[in-house]
Amino acid sequence: MTDVTESGDAVENVLLPVGATSSSMTGLAVGQSWCGVAFLWGAAQPSMCSPEILKRFYSCTIESILTGCITAWYGNCSASDRKALQRVVRTAQYITGTKLPAIQELYTRRCQRKALTIVKDSSHPGHRLFSLLPHGKRYRTAKSRTVTYLGEEEDSSQRAQADALKPMDAAVAETHLKRLLVDLGLEQHFTEKLTLSTVLQIGEKTITDEPAQTLSALPWTFLKRLMMVNVTARSVKCTSSGGEGSCDASFCNIDLDLESLVNSLDSSNVVNPLDIVTALFLCSNGFLQQEMVLKMSMCQFSVPLLLPNCDTKQCTLMLWAMRDIVKKFRPHSLADPRGFVEDRIVLSDLPMVSFVRLGECSLSKSQILNKLLSNPQQYHDTFVHHDMECGDSPRRISNGLVEISWYLPCGKNNIDIFGEPVAVANLRGDISLFETQYSFLCQTSVAVFVFFDNLDIKYNLLTSQHTKAHLFLVGNTQSKSFSIDALKKTAKELNLKTSNVILKNKQMNDAEFVKNLRNTVGEVIKSSKSKMPLEQMAEVAHELGILVDEDCQECQNAKKNADAITSIIRDIPQYKESQLPLQGKIWKELARLEKEECRLRKAGNKNIEMYKSDLQSQKTQLRKKQSNYDMSWAMTFFINAMSSAGLERSYFLKWMRMNLDNLSRKNLSGLREQYKEKCQNSSDNKEEIADLDRQISNSSLGTEHFLREMGQLYESAVLLRETEKSRQQLQHLPRLCAELLLDGFPLELVDGDASNIPLRWVSDVLHQLNVLVQPKNKVLVVTVLGVQSTGKSTLLNTMFGVQFAVSSGRCTRGAFMLLIKVKDDFKKELNCDFLVIIDTEGLKSPELAQLDDSYEHDNELATLVVGLSDVTIINIAMENSTEMKDILQIVVHAFLRMKEVGKKPRCQFVHQNVADVSAHDKNMRDRKMLLEQLNEMTQAAARMEKKEANKSFTDVMEYNPETGNWYIPGLWHGNPPMAPVNAGYSESVYEFKKNMIKVFQDCEASGNKIMDFLTWTKSLWNAVKYENFIFSFRNSLVADAYMKLCVEFNKWEWSFKKHMHTWTTNAETRISNFGTVAMKYQMANMRDFHSKLKMDASMELIKWEKTILDNLTKYYEQPEGHVYLVERYREDFANSTKSIKSEMENSIMSKLVAAFEIQKGMIKLGIIKKNHTDVMEKKVLKLLNDCRKRQSPLSVKDLDGEFEKVWEETVQELSNFEGLVSQDVLSDVSNQLRSNMMQKGSSVNEKLNKVKLEDHGKQPFIVSPDGFFKKLVKGIYMDEHTRKTQAMADNLVAKCEEFVFEKLQKKTDYHETYIQEILHLIEEKLDANKDLETSLKFELNIKLHICGFAARTFQNLHEKFRNDNNPRWCLEQFKGKYLADFKDLFSGQDQCQKKAERFTTLCLKPAVEAYIASSLGLEIVDEMLTGQNASQFSSRAFFQYSILKQLLSEFNFAKYVSYICDYEGFVKNWILDEILKRFSQGNKMFELEDCQLKGIVSVITEAIKKAQTNENGNTKKFIEDICRYLGEKLVLPQDALKATMILNNSKQESFAHWLKTSVVEMEQSLREEFQRARDMKKKLERQNIKPQNELFTRVFGCGKQCPFCKAPCEAGGKAHRDHCASIHRPEGLGQYRFQGSRKLVTDICSSSVFTDATFSCYATGGQWHPYKKYRYIYPDWHIPADASIQASDYWKFVMAKFNEHFAKMYDAEPAYIPPAWRLISKKQAEESLKESFSIKRDSLQCLKEQ
C-alpha cells in the first residue's frame, strides 16, 4: 500500500503488493499485457474481428492491466519503464489499426480526475493541499514524498528505512519538465540535442500552412517561423479542442466554481511561449541555440540570459548563444554625428538595468518593460506578457528564466528614448524563489527595479544582497495588499531616497507611469559609470555557481586554438602576406595566367603555341614557388584544429569567424576614419587616399581566407609525387571540407579576390562529399543574383534559415555554396537529396566599378552561377531600379548561353522594398515593360551571337510574368536598430519559398548528382576562361548525353537499313522469279507488279521513319541521361531520319527499276530458250520411240550416233538463235551525259560533240590549275586549291570505280540506271564541295573521265552477259544431260536419284550460295556492331577515339600521313582490317555462314514437305511446287531447271526421297567448303552487301574536315547543321605553313579562334582574315575551345615526334616546336585523348553491356 503524504498527513491509500516498486509494477503490467496482445493478434487475422471490436477488447483488458493503480506508481517510473509500457500500446495500435491513447495521456487523465474528486470532497485528508494563489488563477505546488508500507507484519527496521526517505522536492519539478517535454515531443532531444542542420532540413511541413494540431507540433512551428525571422513566431497555439490530457466527459457537469479549475488544469492546447522557448533551448545544441538567439534578436525578442533547468535547480549563463549578435547603433555621445558603433553585443560595454518581482504584483512587469522600450509610434512586444496570445497560460518550466534585451539609439533625438545604449534584464518569477538569479543581477546591473505589491513578506531578501547596483522599488498603490508602512520600513532599512521609489497611484495612467519610470532609467544610464560586458559576467556566474554554456571542454579547446591564431594579428594585410602567402600575388598571377592561356589577349604577333608554352612555363615556376613555401605556423595550427573531433571543429570555426570578424571590424573602423579625414582635402592626398582605398579592400579577413589557403596548400601538394610526405600529410583536407559542407558551413566556390576557381581543390572536395553521402547524392541548385547590398544573402537566410554573411561593410567577393538536406519524406517530391544554395557577390559592385574588367567580371560570375542553377533568383532592389537594365543585360546573356547548350533554367524575379498590398496588380504595367525589356535584350544578345531565332525572353528560359515576379516589402518594421523584422517581409518570403518549392518540383533538370554538378562547374569555368560565353563551350555532360543519343540513333538507323536491305533483296528475288514457275502469286502485268512493289516499299519506309521518330520522342521523354541537354539536336536527328528515308527511297526505287528492266529482257530470252528446249525435247522423245521400235538391239555407241544425228538436225532446224540484242553502251552513256550537261551552256555542249567518250578514263585523272579562279591569287593558294581539288577528284573516281565493280560482281546485264546513279554520285560530291568553286570545265572533265571508264566496263559486262545467255550456247551446255536422259529412258533405268542430285547441284546449290552471299553481309555488320569491340562503331566520336588510340599504340608515321591526307581511304582500309581481324580469328565467319545455311536448308526441307502434300504423281509438277514455295527466298537458274524437268520419268515419291537425301548432302558439302575457305577478303568481295561499306557509311558521317587542321567532323546524323570535331590539331599537320619561312605552323585552330591572330588561304581570296571571325568564311564549322589546356596534347606529341617527317612529306621546313610539347609523354597523350572525347570507363562499360 502506497501513501502519498504532505507533512505526514495521509492523502490517498492504494493497495499494492508487498515490496512493490515502480519498476516491478511496470514489469508486472507489461508481462500480463503481452499475453493480451498475443490474443489480440490472433483475433486480428483477416475476416475474424472488426477494428471496433478489437479496440473494445484492448480497452477492456490490455488497457485495464496497464493502468492498474497507475496514479500510485507511474510518476516514479524511469524513462526505460515508460518506453516499455508505450511499446505495448504502439503494438496494439498497429494490430487494431486505430489510434489508441498514450500511457502518459491516461496517467494525466487519471491524476486530473483524482484531483477533481479531492477538490470536491472537503472531508478528504488532502483537500487542504489544493489552495489557490492570490491572483486566483493557479494552485500552489504541493511538496510531497512517497512512503511505502509493507503491511502489518513488517518489522521496525523496514519502517524506519521507509520513514528515513528524504522529501522529494525536485520530483515535482522534474515531473513538470519531463511532462512538458513529452507533451511537446522533445523528450528524446533532452539528451540527444537538436542540431541546426536538422531544423533546416526541407520537408513536407516546410511549405504547409496547417496550424499545429498537437502539442508536439508547437516547437517545430515556433522554429519554422523563427528561422524565417517571423515576429509572430511566439504566437503558437494548438488548435485541437480535445487534445492530450483533456478531462473525461463525466467530470463536465460540476459546480460553476470548478469550471475555471477544469479549464486551468486542462492545458492540452495551450503552452506558455516562454515554456516553449525554454524547452527548445534545453533541447538544442550550442549552434542551434546561437542561431535561435540571433533570429530572436532580429525580431527584437528578448533572449535568454540565464536559462533555468527546473530538473537540477541550476541555471546557465547563455554567453555562447549570444556571441553571434552584432549590433550597430549611434549613441548621442559619439563625436561624429554621422558615425556609428558596430560591435558584438557580448563585448560591448553597456550598462544593464534589471527588473525583478518580489512576491505577487498587480502590475505586469513585462508589459511595462515593453512600453518602456517602445517608441510611442512603434510599440513592440519585446518580452512575453500576460495579455499576449498564450501569455496567460501557467508557466511550467520557465520560472527562473532571466531574459535580456537591448535598447540601442539611432542618433535622432526625437526618436530615441535613451541617448545611450542600455541592456535590460527581466527575471521571470519571484526573487524569493530564485535567489541565485537575483544575486547575479544585483552584481552585474547598474540598477535593479523591484516590482512589488506587499513588502511585508520576505523584504529581508532585499537587504541581504551586497551590491553596488542602485535599488529601485516599483509598486502599485491601488493593490489591496499594498502597505505604505511596509514600504517606509523597507526604504529606511535600504537607505533609499524618494527618487528610488516609483509608485503608480489612482491619478496616474500607464503612459504617465511609464514616462516616470523611463526618466528614472534614463538618469541611471547617464549617471552610470560601471559597465560590465556580458563576457565578464561569466566570472560572476562562476562565483555564484551558475553554469556557463561556454565552459564545455570542446568550446574551451576551440577557443584556445582560435585565440592562438588570431591574438597576434595586428596588421591584417601584413598577416595575410606572411601567414597566408599562397593566396596572395602568386595565386592571383596564376589565375591571370590561366585566363591568358585561354584568351591569348596579349599574344600579339607571337607564335600562339610558343606563347602558350611560355605561359605554361610561367605557371610551372609559380607552382614551384608555391610549393617552396613552408606551411606557416598559423595554417599548421588551423589544420590541426580543423582535424579535431566534429563538435570541437565546429566550435573552432565559429570562434575563428567571430574573432576574425571582430578584428576586421576594428581595423576597417580605423581605416574608414582615416579615409574620411583624408577626403576632407582630397586634392592634396590623392595617393594617400588611393593607398587607404587599397588597405580597406585588403582588410577583410575571414575563415574563408584560411580555407582558401588550405585549398592552395592542397593544390600545390598534389603536384608533388605521390610518395612525397608533404603530399600525404594533406590528403585528408578535401574530406575535412566535405564534412564541413555537411555540417552547414559554406564552401567558397569562386575565389572573389582572384576571380578564379581552384578546380582541383573544389573537385576533390565534391568527390569526397559524394563519397560521404552516396547513394543519396542528387542535388538541386538555386542561386541568387542581383546588385550589391540589395538583400540577396538576407533573402536566402530568411528563406532557408542559413548563415550567409550579411554585412554592408564586408567586401567579400566570389560565390559560396551551402548544402541543405531534404527530408526522406520529401525526396521523391523534389527528386533530390540536397538543395545547393549558391550566394554570389553583388553585381555592379562599387569596389569593382573602377576596374576596366568589372562588366566582364560580372558577366563571368553570372554565366557560371546561372549555368550551375536549376532555379535562379534575380533580386531587384526596387520596383523600377535605374541599374536594373544593366543587370538584366548580364542575366539575359547568361540565360541565352545556357539555352543553347541544352539547359533551360527557371527564373524568378524578386522586387524588394515594395510594401503596397496592391503592388502585384499596380505593377502589371511594370511587369509588361520588364518583359518588353527582357525581350529587347534577348533579341540584342541573339543578334550579337548570330542566333536570331531567339526572339523573346521565354525562348531562352521558362518565365511567366504573372507567376515569376514577387514583391517583397522592406526588411525592417520601423527605424533600426530597434526595428524588428517586418512581418510582411517574412510572410512574403515564406510565400515565395512555397512557390520556389513548387518550382523545384517542376524542374525537368532536377536530380543531377553531385558529380554532374562538378562536371558542369568544370565545363562552365573552362568556358568562362575562354570567354566562350555564348553557344560555343564544351561540356562533358552535354558531350556524354550527345554521345548516348548518337549511339541510340545509330542503332535505330541500322535497324531501319537492315530491314530495308532485307526487303530489297526479297523484292529483287521476287522480280527475278517473275514470269517463272517460282512466281508464287502470278501477275499478268509486270507494270502492276512494279507498282505494287513501289507502294510496298513506300509503306515500309514510312513505317520505319515513324518508328525512328517515335523512338526519338520517347528518348527525349525519359527522365534520366540528361536528355534535356541535347534538346537542340532533336531537330537535327529528326531531319537526319527524313534524309535517311529519302536516300533509301531513291536507292530502292532505282534498284527496282533496274531489276524490272533486266527481268523484262530475261523473260524475252526465256521464251526463246523455252521454245528451243521444247523442240529439242520432242525430237529426243521421237528418237526414243523410233529406237524402241527397232528389232535389233542398239549398243551404246549406236545410241550415241543416233542422238548425234538428231541433235545436229534439230540445231539446223532452229535457225533463230538470236538472243539479246546487242547494245552500244558507249553511245547510250554519251547520250545520257549529253542530256545531263544540256543545261550547262553551249560551250559545254560544243565540247561534248567534239570528244570521243571511249578515249577518256584511260589515264589517271589530273587536275589542271588553269581556269579555276575567278581572280588571280598567289601561287601558294593555287597550289592549295589544286591539291584539295585533286584529293576530291581522286576520292570521287575511287568511289565510282567501286560502284562499277559492284555491278560487275552481280553478273547482270547493263542498264541505263547505272550511269544515272554514277552521274548522281558525281553531282552529289561536287555539291558537297562547293567551297572549292570548281568550274564547269572541271565538271565536264571529271564526268568524261568517269563515264569513259564506266562505259567501257559496262560494254564488256553487257557482252559477257549476252554471250552467257546465248540460246544456242545454253542449249549446247546441256547436250550431255539430254544424251544421258535419252539413254536412261531407252534402257528404262530409274532417274529419281540422278534427277534429284542434278536438281540439287544445278538449281538449289547455286541459289543457296547466292542467298547466303546476299544475306551474310548484314550479319557481318551485326556482329561488328554487337560483338567484341563493338563500342568503336557505336558513334563517330568513339570511332575517332578508337582510331587515334590505335595509331598512338602503333605510332607509325606512314599511317598518320594516310589518316591525315587520305582520311576516307584510311577509314575504309581500317574498317576492312578490323573486319578481317575479327573474322580471321576463330570460326566466327563459319558460324555465321552455317547459321544462314541451316536457315535456308530448313526452308527448302519445308518446301519439299509442302509439295509432297499435292499427290499428283507428276515429278515436273512436284518440282514446280517446290520452286513456288521457294520463290520469295531463292532465285533458281531457269536453264538448269528446265533441263532437269525434261525427259524425266521419275516417280514423285521416290524423287522426293532422293531429293531430301541430296539436300542433306548439299548442306554438308557447302559446310565443308565454308570451313575450307579461309580467305576472308574473297568472302567479303562476294557479298552483295559489303559490310565494310555499311560500317563506313555509319561512322564516316558527312566526311567534312576542319578547314584549318583537317580534323574530321563527328557530328551525329546526316542532316546536322554544324560540323564539329572533338579534338583539333596543329595546323601544320593540315599542311599550313608560314609564308616567308615555309615552316610548318604549330598553332592549333581551337586556340587560334579565340585570339586576335589572322589567317589567309584560298577561301579568303588571299586576304588576311581574323580567326575570331572564321565563321564568316566557314559558316558550317563550329570550333569550340578545348576542354582543357592539355586536351590537344595528343597531336602536340605526334607533331613533336614526327616534325621532320611531316616537313619532308609536305615539302616544308620543320616547325619550331614549343619546349613544353617535348615534355609530353605517350601516357599524357593518351589521357588527353580520353579527355577530349569525354571517354569514361563507365561509358565504355555501358556500351559493352548494350
Side-chain angles (χ1 to χ4, degrees), residues 1638-1654:
R1638 292 185 59 79
K1639 286 179 182 278
L1640 291 177
V1641 178
T1642 53
D1643 295 347
I1644 300 174
C1645 46
S1646 50
S1647 296
S1648 298
V1649 294
F1650 298 100
T1651 68
D1652 294 325
T1654 57

Side-chain angles (χ1 to χ4, degrees), residues 808-1048:
S808 59
R810 292 180 67 87
C811 50
T812 306
R813 295 164 59 185
F816 292 83
M817 64 174 281
L818 190 144
L819 284 184
I820 297 180
K821 191 175 181 181
V822 177
K823 289 184 179 178
D824 291 339
D825 63 350
F826 209 51
K827 286 179 179 178
K828 191 174 181 181
E829 294 288 327
L830 289 187
N831 190 26
C832 69
D833 302 294
F834 294 92
L835 281 185
V836 174
I837 314 295
I838 298 180
D839 185 26
T840 61
E841 68 177 85
L843 305 178
K844 307 292 290 181
S845 166
E847 289 94 339
L848 300 177
Q850 305 302 318
L851 302 178
D852 294 335
D853 61 348
S854 63
Y855 186 84
E856 180 183 282
H857 171 82
D858 289 348
N859 231 328
E860 290 176 4
L861 189 65
T863 301
L864 179 69
V865 297
V866 167
L868 293 176
S869 304
D870 294 304
V871 183
T872 304
I873 302 169
I874 310 300
N875 192 58
I876 299 172
M878 295 178 67
E879 292 172 86
N880 296 300
S881 171
T882 54
E883 294 177 322
M884 186 176 73
K885 192 165 185 178
D886 286 342
I887 298 304
L888 292 182
Q889 282 180 343
I890 296 170
V891 171
V892 167
H893 272 277
F895 281 126
L896 196 53
R897 295 160 202 154
M898 291 310 105
K899 188 253 183 178
E900 286 301 316
V901 295
K903 194 165 186 177
K904 200 172 183 183
R906 297 181 178 234
C907 174
Q908 297 285 307
F909 285 92
V910 173
H911 305 262
Q912 296 219 38
N913 302 323
V914 185
D916 195 346
V917 293
S918 62
H920 192 273
D921 292 333
K922 283 187 175 181
N923 285 291
M924 188 179 294
R925 182 169 172 271
D926 290 337
R927 287 198 300 278
K928 185 180 177 184
M929 289 179 64
L930 171 63
L931 185 59
E932 288 175 358
Q933 278 189 325
L934 291 169
N935 290 341
E936 182 183 336
M937 292 170 194
T938 303
Q939 291 165 16
R943 279 195 302 272
M944 287 170 62
E945 305 306 322
K946 304 294 183 290
K947 294 287 179 182
E948 286 85 353
N950 297 287
K951 299 291 184 185
S952 65
F953 187 56
T954 51
D955 287 341
V956 299
M957 64 161 305
E958 295 188 26
Y959 168 71
N960 184 330
E962 293 304 310
T963 60
N965 285 275
W966 292 83
Y967 298 91
I968 295 177
L971 174 64
W972 302 112
H973 181 66
N975 296 312
M978 288 307 295
V981 172
N982 186 358
Y985 178 85
S986 300
E987 288 298 330
S988 298
V989 171
Y990 177 58
E991 290 300 317
F992 177 53
K993 180 179 180 179
K994 288 196 294 183
N995 176 75
M996 285 287 289
I997 298 293
K998 290 178 182 175
V999 173
F1000 294 158
Q1001 291 171 322
D1002 296 337
C1003 273
E1004 294 176 4
S1006 66
N1008 283 329
K1009 294 182 180 179
I1010 290 171
M1011 299 314 295
D1012 296 338
F1013 173 79
L1014 173 58
T1015 303
W1016 269 108
T1017 305
K1018 288 180 177 178
S1019 302
L1020 283 162
W1021 184 241
N1022 194 53
V1024 165
K1025 287 194 296 185
Y1026 272 100
E1027 293 181 306
N1028 236 349
F1029 285 147
I1030 306 179
F1031 316 138
S1032 57
F1033 78 86
R1034 288 169 51 112
N1035 175 276
S1036 58
L1037 280 181
V1038 177
D1040 189 51
Y1042 183 72
M1043 182 203 70
K1044 288 177 181 175
L1045 176 57
C1046 288
V1047 170
E1048 288 300 313

Side-chain angles (χ1 to χ4, degrees), residues 26 30 34 74 77-90 103 187-188 191-192:
T26 302
V30 170
W34 279 118
Y74 184 80
C77 281
S78 64
S80 60
D81 288 340
R82 294 188 184 194
K83 285 181 180 178
L85 291 163
Q86 187 60 31
R87 198 175 296 118
V88 176
V89 178
R90 282 201 303 270
I103 290 294
E187 67 273 20
Q188 177 188 351
T191 52
E192 300 172 13

Side-chain angles (χ1 to χ4, degrees), residues 430-466:
D430 191 344
I431 59 174
S432 63
L433 299 176
F434 304 103
E435 294 183 26
T436 304
Q437 286 91 323
Y438 177 58
S439 298
F440 175 83
L441 293 177
C442 287
Q443 294 186 45
T444 55
S445 306
V446 294
V448 178
F449 289 79
V450 182
F451 281 64
F452 70 94
D453 271 358
N454 187 356
L455 288 174
D456 289 340
I457 306 171
K458 299 182 180 178
Y459 76 91
N460 291 331
L461 182 65
L462 300 177
T463 61
S464 64
Q465 298 296 327
H466 301 287

